[in-house]
Amino acid sequence: MSIGQRVEALDTWSSHPLFEQRTDLCSGNEMAARAAAQINYHLMGYFPITPSTEIAEYLDEMKAHGEHDIVLVPADGEHSAAGICFGAAAAGGRVLNATSAQGFLYMLEQLPVQSGTRLPMVLNLVTRSVSGPLNIHGDHSDLYYALNTGWPILLARTPQAVYDMNLMALRVAEHPDVRLPVIVAYDGFFTSHSKQRVQYFANREAVQWFVGPVRKAEFDLFDRDHPVTVGPYMNEPDYIHNKYQQSLAMYRAGEVFAEVAAAYARISGRYYGALDTYRLEDADIALVILNSAAETSKDAVDALRAQGIRAGVLSFNILRPFPVRAVQEALAHVQVVLVAERADAYGAHGANLTHEVRSALQAVQAQCTVLSRVYGLGGKEFHPADAEALFQICLQAWRGEAVPAFDYYGVIAGDPAVRPPRGLKPLAKEEVSGFVQVTRDEKTGELIVKVPPLRALTAKAKRLAPGHGACPGCGIFPAIETFLKGIEGDVVVLYQTGCAMVTTTGYPYTSHRVTYIHNLFQNGAATLSGVVEMFWERKRRGEIQIGEDPTFIMITGDGGMDIGMGSALGAAMRNHKLIILEYDNEGYMNTGSQLSYSTPIGHMTATSNVGAAQQGKAFHHKDTPQIMAAANIPYVFTGVEAYPQDLIRKAAKAQWYATHEGMAYGKVLTACPLNWKTPDDAGNEVVGLAVKCCFFPLYEVEHGITRITYDPEARGERVPARAWLERMGKSKHLLRPENEALLQAFEAEVERRWRRLKAKHEHELL
Amino acid sequence: MQARLPATNRAGFFEIRMESIGGLGANLAGKMLAEAGVLKLGWNGTFSAAYGSEKKGTPVRASIRFADANHPIRGIYAVDEPHVVAVFHEALLQSQDCTAGLQPGGVLLVNTAKAPTEIVRRTGWRAGKVACVDATAIAVRERTRVNVAMLGALCRVMDGMPPEAVMAVIRETLGRKDAALVERNLRTFRAGYDEVRVEDMAPAAAEESGAATPATADRTTPVLGYRNQPQGGCIPEPGNSVWRDLSASRQGVLPILRLESCIHCAACDQVCPDLCFVWTAREGRNGRVFQFLAGIDYQYCKGCLKCVAACPTDALQAGREEDGYAEAHRTKHPFAFA
Ligand SMILES: Cc1ncc(C[n+]2csc(CCOP(=O)(O)OP(=O)(O)O)c2C)c(N)n1
Ligand code: SF4
Ligand SMILES: [Mg+2]
């Protein structure tokens, strides 16, 4: 039976008014969020990543309007998100998470910990391709890493199934025989972002009734009379028994799913078997294909059947445990099966599903040819014509023609004479040198910097080329280029994931005129450390002949200094000769404006909404320059494009330190008109106001000595914080009378930090 | 409310494709139209959009598929052979293959002040109806957004789509905010509906000429395959983004430079996010060599006007972008290619 089909025989209770359903047009992410809100989970720990981010966003928006009371905990990275969920699950309540791709891989380490500890929860895996190169679109590469984590995996082909599976997943997870965390996986963009006709329970009570009260676990962390040790150190001969229990629980999850699905059909009229089959009963050829592409393939089946070709499709509603018996029954009579996979198990002659299907059929000695194709990677669309082409391969094999057992579908060779669009001549030395001078006063040890006027600096070549895809008025590039005006000679840059990276390197184009490398934003500082140390070692071995040493610069967003904080501090401790330049636009803008720890209190983002029940972000902004200063690196600074000479001077100093002593770190505040909700032309003025209200003071910490480089108070130019806040759509609600207390809290925090900074400025030892 | 689908293809679908740029609200328009079809008229329907990232000004393509109530719409993939293409921003006619796959007898709807014949001249598409609506002007007039005006026009060109259905959805979607806003948007919708000019370009020739571009053309065919794509995804061509044309990101305004009042202070250059300012070195009056602003390379200008805000004189001013102005007044960066 397939979904959407009403199961009349079971349709016994669905007519009861409690189970009334409403029809709507919704996306998969909306349905995941709706299910979560109706379940009213205790807690969600999360970190944003496309295309799963919307789930947390929708839930935050609903929360701002008082529609549920799930505690939403924004983590500093997925590893932490998984840790938060692990802890929360151990502590006994209902727990939710959602992620994709790198986020999933980053939390992967935690997943077996949780299944081995037998702590149920639900994770929505909105499937997406895995880096590198970075690609945000849908395939199953992340899902395939989930296969061996010990989490039962439910698949949802449509937004409707996303809702239904989310309700069923919780019951499977909490079943006393199972007690495992469960993944619900659905296709990024194809299912997560497309709106389709759906039904859902009009009353949350129906959902509450179905999932029931939280099932008591064997142990309760807060039962003070029965303290329990969770997570011991366990060697042989015990460990294998823990795993055997886990294995049994996993197989049991398959049976429990069947029971839960039957119960769910009774109230919803929608039944989900282990498999979803389409016209397979008498099929000669069949596609085995997961999630949304299975739906597309059904259209191809109809078309082929109209030509008298008996084709069918098999897809999975549950992938772990693998429903081996059902697969055998469904496919044993088929002549040629093609397993089409949106992921590869490189070097394995077919990805995982191929081998699982093949071994299932071999076990019953089915006389069936099993072919394997990798298709649709990185979000490459799958049309009915593609499904037909795959069926054609089956037909060829059936006719006895030689077709490869394993191959990629949908790739082209390309003409070796064709190259990526031609680039620019490398920058000549004199184009980037001889503009800014830094000398060290031998007596005082002070660095003396000479910066020519901006006009003269226009002769210095920019390290970026035009043609990047940032929004109109984006503040990132003026900040980076102003900074680079202070950097002489060759540079090698590393950009962490974020707007600057994404908008400058959309394949096959790059806006970088200098050598550039990307790594994901939790690991850029470590990566650049490796680049730098290899440079020095290869130079020492005489493998690099280079006149002048390049300056190594990492560009990161403020989000990169959340998830990548550990990596940055590690690099600081090792004191590599490199510069970290953080552009702070007060949020995770690349993924659509979620709060970062640098977002000020009360500011509105997609995960800190404003409504009756909530007024923007709940906690104060992170003071990253002070954290980096506490790492005792030689040089720390702040800057903005609105004070160009100040920023250029600091860049020159940073370069001096990063070539002579060790690491320098700087933070520049950059406007994001799109998400700050400011006019495109206002960025320069708005970041200037942030400086003038002392929210973002301009200063440097040189060998531990703090110096304020622009003191708006002393100059009589200080403005109140509201003068800055009122300019941005994301913060102007703070000026409303009902938010007076919040505004005061913000002003007090700004004042406290400013006073402390002044004290440091005045006293060398602070 | 009841209504019949305006037309259906072999698969039983009526299909619409929207071509827009981020920030114009095409997604919201598409969502509202799909909701009108599904929730108000009882059709089956899907809405999906393809976009690269969340940036403003970058191309967005959205697909709406309708079918009869009980006809399944299973696959989610971009509309290839639309009955209607709605172009939210005229500049996209240059930068995108907007009419790809557009069905003979279909409708090409464009947000433009131009006449349909002019659109035919630009696109070469004459296999059906061309509809023009000045959605931008309507939005400026009503202080609303282009998307709702386009929605009005779209509703009109979809023969048989009752406007009341869409207006009900507009009311529900925006009604949460405030009543005045809803009123302005309903007027915007009405204006789009009333003011769209539709001309049948090839009533007789439609059949024989067919679609201007081959149906199911794979517009994304890369020129780089597995034999010529450099290893590891590397791009060994520094700065080759200079080939890109970002003019389509502008929304009707650009900076106008009057060199007479320029003092060459470089304030504009420093704040420009898009590296549009072109400089030359020349001897000044005293015989020394100075940098002089030569002009703006409009190919990269997204019209943010930060330079206008930064200019201490009146050398830079905001202006409405007239047709052909940017091409005629562009100062090209003197790039040296490798
Ligand atoms: C491990 C991991 N988690 C999440 C993401 C998704 N992601 C990419 S960029 C980004 C936000 C970056 O924020 P920030 O560093 O402030 O840069 P911005 O986007 O604001 O320029 C996120 C969350 C990812 N790529 N990898
Ligand atoms: S979202 Fe903000 S930071 Fe990102 S490119 Fe757009 S303006 Fe710049
Ligand atoms: Mg950021």
Side-chain angles (χ1 to χ4, degrees):
Chain A
M1 270 178 284
S2 94
I3 81 139
Q5 258 176 286
R6 289 219 145 223
V7 188
E8 303 303 338
L10 295 172
D11 195 1
T12 46
W13 302 347
S14 59
S15 52
H16 188 284
L18 175 64
F19 301 116
E20 179 199 334
Q21 296 189 52
R22 199 171 281 157
T23 300
D24 206 345
L25 187 74
C26 289
S27 70
N29 283 344
E30 284 171 316
M31 292 309 273
R34 172 158 295 155
Q38 289 185 324
I39 289 170
N40 204 23
Y41 277 94
H42 288 76
L43 183 143
M44 176 182 195
Y46 71 94
F47 189 81
I49 183 162
T50 308
S52 61
T53 313
E54 285 182 346
I55 300 173
E57 293 179 350
Y58 290 135
L59 284 171
D60 188 75
E61 196 183 344
M62 290 185 222
K63 183 155 190 197
H65 295 102
E67 292 171 31
H68 63 76
D69 30 47
I70 305 171
V71 177
L72 297 169
V73 186
D76 50 310
E78 288 85 357
H79 195 252
S80 305
I84 290 165
C85 290
F86 176 75
R94 284 186 165 146
V95 180
L96 175 73
N97 194 354
T99 194
S100 304
Q102 299 316 109
F104 182 71
L105 263 63
Y106 198 38
M107 66 172 67
L108 191 64
E109 182 266 337
Q110 287 288 294
L111 302 191
V113 177
Q114 187 156 346
S115 52
T117 314
R118 306 291 295 279
L119 298 171
M121 65 168 279
V122 174
L123 167 67
N124 278 277
L125 175 60
V126 186
T127 57
R128 161 183 149 179
S129 58
V130 156
S131 275
L134 187 90
N135 175 314
I136 62 165
H137 294 284
D139 71 26
H140 297 151
S141 304
D142 50 5
L143 172 64
Y144 276 45
Y145 284 94
L147 296 175
N148 297 335
T149 53
W151 292 44
I153 300 171
L154 308 182
L155 301 181
R157 287 182 309 285
T158 59
Q160 179 68 65
V162 171
Y163 177 77
D164 297 335
M165 288 296 184
N166 264 281
L167 300 188
M168 290 191 277
L170 186 61
R171 267 189 59 170
V172 174
E174 288 181 355
H175 192 284
D177 297 350
V178 178
R179 293 204 48 87
L180 285 170
V182 174
I183 288 172
V184 176
Y186 55 97
D187 285 354
F189 289 106
F190 302 119
T191 307
S192 67
H193 281 62
S194 75
K195 289 181 184 268
Q196 303 179 31
R197 201 169 52 175
V198 292
Q199 290 201 309
Y200 60 87
F201 293 109
N203 311 305
R204 129 196 309 212
E205 291 70 31
V207 170
Q208 295 284 333
W209 180 87
F210 178 71
V211 297
V214 187
R215 298 247 198 159
K216 262 192 97 56
E218 214 172 313
F219 311 104
D220 186 343
L221 254 59
F222 306 118
D223 178 354
R224 67 152 326 282
D225 296 331
H226 300 94
V228 56
T229 293
V230 180
Y233 168 58
M234 185 194 280
N235 278 329
E236 63 89 27
D238 308 298
Y239 180 82
I240 197 170
H241 300 115
N242 163 280
K243 293 301 131 195
Y244 187 56
Q245 283 180 335
Q246 202 184 318
S247 171
L248 293 174
M250 176 62 105
Y251 288 115
R252 181 77 181 103
E255 295 160 10
V256 170
F257 174 73
E259 294 159 19
V260 171
Y264 189 68
R266 241 170 268 137
I267 63 163
S268 68
R270 292 182 294 275
Y271 175 73
Y272 295 82
L275 301 180
D276 174 77
T277 59
Y278 187 69
R279 305 186 82 168
L280 207 53
E281 302 75 23
D282 62 343
D284 299 312
I285 55 173
L287 275 190
V288 174
I289 190 163
L290 300 183
N291 274 353
S292 65
E295 293 299 302
T296 310
S297 304
K298 292 174 185 175
D299 288 341
V301 166
D302 292 346
L304 290 170
R305 291 242 169 200
Q307 300 164 34
I309 298 165
R310 292 189 300 196
V313 179
L314 180 144
S315 194
F316 290 73
N317 288 326
I318 183 166
L319 189 60
R320 282 289 180 276
F322 187 77
V324 68
R325 193 111 36 85
V327 169
Q328 289 162 342
E329 279 165 18
L331 291 180
H333 65 280
V334 177
Q335 303 295 319
V336 182
V337 171
L338 190 150
V339 186
E341 301 186 74
R342 232 174 189 143
D344 195 0
Y346 303 93
H349 306 278
N352 304 54
L353 195 56
T354 296
H355 299 295
E356 295 181 5
V357 167
R358 203 175 266 154
S359 78
L361 293 175
Q362 194 191 34
V364 291
Q365 278 131 35
Q367 298 303 307
C368 162
T369 304
V370 179
L371 302 172
S372 176
R373 290 293 178 275
V374 172
Y375 78 99
L377 298 188
K380 194 170 163 51
E381 281 200 346
F382 188 72
H383 292 242
D386 295 312
E388 282 190 42
L390 293 176
F391 279 121
Q392 287 304 333
I393 298 173
C394 295
L395 288 175
Q396 281 176 296
W398 194 22
R399 287 194 299 260
E401 292 170 33
V403 292
F406 167 70
D407 204 351
Y408 270 51
Y409 168 79
V411 292
I412 63 156
D415 176 356
V418 173
R419 289 184 41 86
R422 202 151 137 234
L424 302 177
K425 279 223 174 81
L427 294 167
K429 286 258 185 259
E430 59 281 8
E431 286 181 279
V432 287
S433 307
F435 294 87
V436 175
Q437 274 176 11
V438 186
T439 46
R440 188 156 178 264
D441 184 320
E442 287 309 326
K443 267 187 261 134
T444 61
E446 215 179 304
L447 296 185
I448 298 149
V449 186
K450 269 211 203 130
V451 179
L454 287 177
R455 178 178 186 178
L457 280 169
T458 59
K460 185 168 184 170
K462 297 187 164 96
R463 269 67 164 222
L464 285 160
H468 66 72
C471 309
C474 176
I476 296 175
F477 298 97
I480 293 179
E481 277 298 350
T482 304
F483 172 81
L484 288 172
K485 281 183 198 300
I487 305 286
E488 296 274 294
D490 291 345
V491 296
V492 170
V493 293
L494 180 144
Y495 279 47
Q496 298 207 104
T497 327
C499 281
M501 171 266 166
V502 162
T503 59
T504 55
T505 59
Y507 198 80
Y509 298 104
T510 176
S511 302
H512 299 282
R513 301 193 64 179
V514 299
T515 288
Y516 160 102
I517 175 171
H518 163 252
N519 198 359
L520 291 135
F521 65 155
Q522 63 274 32
N523 224 3
T527 309
L528 194 60
S529 304
V531 172
V532 170
E533 295 311 317
M534 183 55 89
F535 170 79
W536 291 111
E537 182 55 17
R538 285 185 64 197
K539 191 172 169 189
R540 192 185 69 78
R541 295 187 186 197
E543 293 169 10
I544 301 176
Q545 265 76 43
I546 199 165
E548 234 171 273
D549 299 332
T551 302
F552 296 91
I553 304 172
M554 171 170 115
I555 308 280
T556 175
D558 47 314
M561 290 302 282
D562 287 345
I563 192 171
M565 193 82 231
S567 184
L569 283 173
M573 293 302 125
R574 298 186 299 266
N575 203 26
H576 299 282
K577 288 182 172 168
L578 58 85
I579 304 172
I580 293 182
L581 181 70
E582 171 190 346
Y583 64 88
D584 174 5
N585 50 20
E586 303 187 333
Y588 302 158
M589 299 323 187
N590 184 47
T591 37
S593 184
Q594 297 81 29
L595 72 84
S596 81
Y597 294 165
S598 293
T599 307
I601 195 166
H603 286 220
M604 179 175 70
T605 68
T607 49
S608 59
N609 282 281
V610 173
Q614 168 182 309
Q615 293 297 315
K617 191 188 169 210
F619 53 98
H620 284 296
H621 56 288
K622 176 172 175 178
D623 200 342
T624 318
Q626 288 297 314
I627 297 175
M628 296 309 287
N632 292 309
I633 50 176
Y635 191 60
V636 170
F637 69 92
T638 62
V640 287
E641 67 160 86
Y643 294 85
Q645 294 287 334
D646 177 78
L647 178 53
I648 296 168
R649 188 167 289 118
K650 288 168 177 169
K653 281 187 166 186
Q655 180 172 34
W656 193 91
Y657 284 111
T659 43
H660 290 80
E661 294 190 0
M663 193 169 127
Y665 160 86
K667 180 174 182 108
V668 286
L669 187 70
T670 63
C672 171
L674 180 65
N675 298 312
W676 288 12
K677 307 193 189 307
T678 50
D680 290 350
D681 65 355
N684 192 278
E685 204 194 334
V686 172
V687 295
L689 285 169
V691 171
K692 286 192 176 135
C693 75
C694 295
F695 163 77
F696 196 84
L698 299 183
Y699 67 99
E700 59 191 359
V701 185
E702 203 168 347
H703 288 143
I705 298 170
T706 301
R707 205 171 68 83
I708 293 171
T709 57
Y710 165 73
D711 182 344
E713 237 165 33
R715 301 267 200 108
E717 291 169 359
R718 184 164 182 186
V719 298
R722 55 188 71 217
W724 175 53
L725 299 172
E726 73 190 4
R727 296 295 300 274
M728 300 179 286
K730 68 161 177 158
S731 57
K732 62 172 192 263
H733 59 279
L734 292 174
L735 304 185
R736 290 204 296 256
E738 64 270 28
N739 287 327
E740 183 60 29
L742 195 55
L743 177 64
Q744 276 176 12
F746 175 65
E747 285 173 338
E749 182 65 13
V750 166
E751 192 59 19
R752 190 181 67 77
R753 293 189 194 182
W754 169 244
R755 291 280 146 232
R756 200 171 54 181
L757 194 70
K758 285 200 90 160
K760 289 186 176 182
H761 174 83
E762 280 149 21
H763 304 280
E764 281 208 344
L765 288 175
L766 290 184
Chain B
M1 260 175 273
Q2 278 228 315
R4 293 209 4 228
L5 289 170
T8 51
N9 61 15
R10 266 168 302 144
F13 304 145
F14 178 78
E15 302 188 321
I16 302 165
R17 188 170 70 222
M18 296 176 160
E19 305 271 358
S20 185
I21 58 172
L24 291 183
N27 272 349
L28 184 61
K31 179 184 106 92
M32 291 197 282
L33 186 64
E35 280 179 0
V38 174
L39 303 178
K40 302 296 169 201
L41 302 174
W43 298 339
N44 195 1
T46 60
F47 169 73
S48 61
Y51 49 94
S53 66
E54 319 266 347
K55 310 294 170 277
K56 194 172 159 188
T58 48
V60 181
R61 179 170 285 149
S63 296
I64 298 171
R65 207 168 254 134
F66 285 124
D68 283 330
N70 298 318
H71 188 85
I73 308 179
R74 288 184 287 224
I76 292 295
Y77 45 90
V79 160
D80 281 333
E81 301 178 14
H83 294 93
V84 179
V85 168
V87 182
F88 281 58
H89 189 33
E90 197 182 325
L92 291 168
L93 292 175
Q94 251 82 54
S95 57
Q96 310 279 109
D97 186 2
C98 292
T99 56
L102 180 53
Q103 292 298 287
V107 187
L108 173 64
L109 167 68
V110 184
N111 171 16
T112 179
K114 300 195 176 75
T117 44
E118 178 58 20
I119 298 301
V120 170
R121 207 181 55 73
R122 294 210 163 191
T123 59
W125 190 82
R126 48 160 59 254
K129 292 180 189 153
V130 172
C132 295
V133 63
D134 195 348
T136 308
I138 298 172
V140 169
R141 199 167 77 210
E142 298 289 350
R143 288 178 299 124
T144 49
R145 288 167 75 196
V146 171
N147 58 349
V148 176
M150 283 298 283
L151 199 52
L154 245 172
C155 180
R156 176 71 173 276
V157 302
M158 278 178 67
D159 256 341
M161 178 93 194
E164 301 75 34
V166 186
M167 287 164 78
V169 172
I170 293 176
R171 239 179 249 117
E172 285 161 20
T173 308
L174 305 173
R176 283 213 228 155
K177 301 192 177 153
D178 70 272
L181 182 76
V182 173
E183 270 321 304
R184 289 210 308 276
N185 273 288
L186 290 176
R187 278 204 306 273
T188 306
F189 176 85
R190 265 284 162 214
Y193 190 87
D194 292 338
E195 293 173 26
V196 62
R197 288 152 298 155
V198 189
E199 271 180 51
D200 204 339
M201 284 307 160
E207 238 124 273
E208 123 286 319
S209 76
T213 33
T216 62
D218 186 355
R219 279 164 298 145
T220 57
T221 303
V223 285
L224 296 170
Y226 58 85
R227 290 187 54 207
N228 58 342
Q229 192 181 95
Q231 226 174 54
C234 296
I235 308 171
E237 299 290 342
N240 67 355
S241 67
V242 299
W243 293 107
R244 299 185 63 206
D245 186 343
L246 300 165
S247 306
S249 303
R250 289 195 294 273
Q251 294 186 27
V253 287
L254 43 57
I256 296 191
L257 175 62
R258 291 178 28 233
L259 271 177
E260 314 85 81
S261 2
C262 176
I263 56 169
H264 308 278
C265 67
C268 52
D269 180 89
Q270 190 240 334
V271 302
C272 175
D274 295 295
L275 306 95
C276 296
F277 290 85
V278 183
W279 294 79
T280 47
R282 265 203 331 262
E283 235 171 65
R285 264 180 236 123
N286 58 7
R288 279 171 55 204
V289 175
F290 284 98
Q291 289 291 104
F292 288 89
L293 181 59
I296 300 175
D297 198 336
Y298 287 114
Q299 176 173 339
Y300 312 110
C301 176
K302 296 169 186 152
C304 74
L305 304 180
K306 272 186 84 188
C307 54
V308 175
C311 180
T313 74
D314 57 2
L316 280 163
Q317 308 260 312
R320 272 211 80 77
E321 181 169 358
E322 304 291 339
D323 234 16
Y325 179 91
E327 290 76 20
H329 293 82
R330 169 180 178 206
T331 304
K332 278 191 179 188
H333 273 296
F335 290 122
F337 289 91

